[in-house]
Amino acid sequence: MNTSSQDLAGFGWSNFFQSQLTADELTGSVPVRVTVAHRNGLDVAHPDFAERVPLLTTEPHDEEGRATVGDWILLDAESHAPQRLLDRKTLFKRKAAGADRRVQLIAANVDTLLVVSSCNQDFNPARLERYLVLARDAGVMPVVVLTKADLAEDTETYRRQAEKLMPGLLVECINARSREGVASLLPWCGNGQTVALVGSSGVGKSTLVNTLAGEAIQETQGIRASDAHGRHTTSGRSLHRLDTGGWLLDTPGMRELQLLDAEAGVEDLFTDVFELATECRFSDCGHETEPGCAVRAAVEAGTLDPERLKRFRKLVAEEAYNSLSLADRRARDKGFGKMIKAVVKEKKGRWE
C-alpha cells in the first residue's frame, strides 16, 4: 500500500484491521471504507479517492457476509475490483421489520452509539432500552442524547429517567441547532472515531447530524405538535466525515426495532433483574406466581420498578423468539397454532 497506516487511521483504520492482511495483500490491495451500501454497489472512501465499486460476491444466504456501512473491504490495487470483506470490530444488526425473517445489517465498526431521544412526548424508556441492548450486545459504548433541551421546562426529569435505565449510562441534554449546544458530544467525534446515531423520527436527529457535520447533510422537517412525532427525513444509512476528524453514521428512523441474537445485550442492560433472579428459590423461576421469588419481592418492596420488569420480560421473550432458527420458529408457530385451534374447539363444544 502506498498510503500510510497513519493516513488510513483518520478513516478509522487500526491494528485490528492491519493484522488481517496477508503479505500479498499488503502490496497488492487497497483498503477502503464503505460509506454507503446500495443495492447494486458500494460507495467507498480512501485518503486518495472516493468511488463506487461493485458489490462483493457472497453466499446467497449469508446476510452477515455482505458489506454494510462502516465496513472495510479490500480492493485490487490496479483494477479496484473488490476482493474481500475484513472482519469487523463491531456489528449492529436487527431482524428486518414486518414478517420478514432476514437479518438486516445496520452498521459496522462503530465506536460510540448516540441514542437520540427528546425532552418531550417522544421520550420513551422502552424504546431507549431496545437501543441500549443493541449497543451493549455489539460491544459499543452508548450515550443517550436528549434533544430539544432548550424547549423543555425541566430537562433534569428526563435525564434522571434515562440514567436509571443502566448503571453508569452517560446522558447528554443538548440543543441540536447550535454548535455550542452539541459541544458535549465532540469528545466522541475525534480523529478516526466513528459515532452512529439512532432514534425515532421527530427527535431532531437530522438536525443533530447537520450541526455536527457543519453542513446540511440531511433534510429536516418540523414535528406535529399534537404528538411530538415527525416523518422520516433520512432515506438511508450513510457515513460522513466531520471537521473534527471523526466519522458520523446516520441511520433512518426505525419504526420497528426487533432484537436478534442480543442475549448478551439484554443480560448486560438488566443486570439488576438477573442478579435478583439468582436469589429466587427456584432456578427456573418465571417471576410470576412462584413462591420465594426475589424479583417479585423487590417489586413489592419498591426497589424494582414494575414497568421495568414488564419491559424486561418482553425483551427476553422477543429476543429468544427472533433468535430461533427458521425451522424452530416454524415448528413453534405450527405448535402454537394447533394449541389455539384446540382451545377454540373445546370452548365451542362447551357453548354448544
Side-chain angles (χ1 to χ4, degrees), residues 1-5 7 26-27 29-30 46 48:
M1 294 182 297
N2 295 326
T3 305
S4 69
S5 295
D7 293 331
L26 284 170
T27 57
S29 301
V30 177
H46 180 273
D48 298 329

Side-chain angles (χ1 to χ4, degrees), residues 42-312:
L42 303 169
D43 287 352
V44 298
H46 180 273
D48 298 329
F49 62 88
E51 62 185 68
R52 182 170 297 185
V53 300
L55 294 174
L56 281 161
T57 302
T58 61
E59 293 296 327
H61 303 294
D62 182 15
E63 299 291 343
E64 294 191 26
R66 299 178 182 180
T68 189
V69 180
D71 266 324
W72 282 94
I73 63 173
L74 296 181
L75 304 182
D76 180 81
E78 297 295 330
S79 66
H80 282 197
Q83 294 179 319
R84 72 180 180 96
L85 172 70
L86 296 184
D87 292 341
R88 298 147 170 152
K89 289 193 299 182
T90 61
L91 176 64
F92 288 114
K93 60 185 178 181
R94 67 171 181 176
K95 186 183 78 69
D100 197 332
R101 297 297 187 185
R102 291 179 300 114
V103 175
Q104 183 181 44
L105 304 186
I106 301 173
N109 302 315
V110 172
D111 299 299
T112 307
L113 184 70
L114 302 182
V115 182
V116 186
S117 186
S118 53
C119 299
N120 58 19
Q121 293 167 262
D122 183 80
F123 184 85
N124 186 318
R127 185 185 301 133
L128 288 177
E129 283 175 339
R130 285 175 177 269
Y131 289 127
L132 293 176
V133 167
L134 189 74
R136 299 305 297 174
D137 192 70
V140 174
M141 186 181 74
V143 177
V144 171
V145 180
L146 301 180
T147 63
K148 309 184 191 296
D150 54 313
L151 304 177
E153 295 182 0
D154 182 12
T155 59
E156 287 306 306
T157 297
Y158 293 102
R159 182 196 296 274
R160 287 193 295 270
Q161 289 184 66
E163 289 175 340
K164 290 180 181 179
L165 300 178
M166 190 178 78
L169 179 63
L170 295 173
V171 180
E172 299 289 344
C173 297
I174 67 165
N175 171 9
R177 296 183 180 279
S178 71
R179 186 73 170 190
E180 296 77 14
V182 303
S184 61
L185 304 181
L186 298 184
W188 291 289
C189 303
N191 188 54
Q193 293 293 300
T194 301
V195 296
L197 274 72
V198 292
S200 60
S201 58
V203 299
K205 191 159 60 68
S206 293
T207 299
L208 177 56
V209 168
N210 293 341
T211 302
L212 287 173
E215 58 180 313
I217 292 176
Q218 302 293 354
E219 295 181 2
T220 60
Q221 284 185 297
I223 62 173
R224 298 190 298 266
S226 60
D227 58 7
H229 289 171
R231 290 186 296 173
H232 296 286
T233 55
T234 305
S235 58
R237 291 177 295 279
S238 52
L239 196 63
H240 306 281
R241 190 73 185 268
L242 303 176
D243 56 15
T244 56
W247 292 83
L248 186 149
L249 195 152
D250 187 27
T251 63
M254 295 182 185
R255 298 177 188 269
E256 182 182 356
L257 178 61
Q258 291 287 323
L259 301 180
L260 178 68
D261 293 335
E263 182 179 358
V266 174
E267 291 183 4
D268 197 15
L269 183 62
F270 290 94
T271 54
D272 54 340
V273 180
F274 280 100
E275 287 176 358
L276 285 169
T278 62
E279 301 175 11
C280 292
R281 181 183 301 178
F282 302 106
S283 59
D284 60 347
C285 183
H287 318 307
E288 295 178 348
T289 60
E290 297 88 345
C293 176
V295 174
R296 276 200 354 269
V299 171
E300 294 169 1
T303 56
L304 177 63
D305 184 357
E307 291 302 315
R308 179 170 172 78
L309 178 57
K310 289 180 182 178
R311 298 195 300 267
F312 162 76

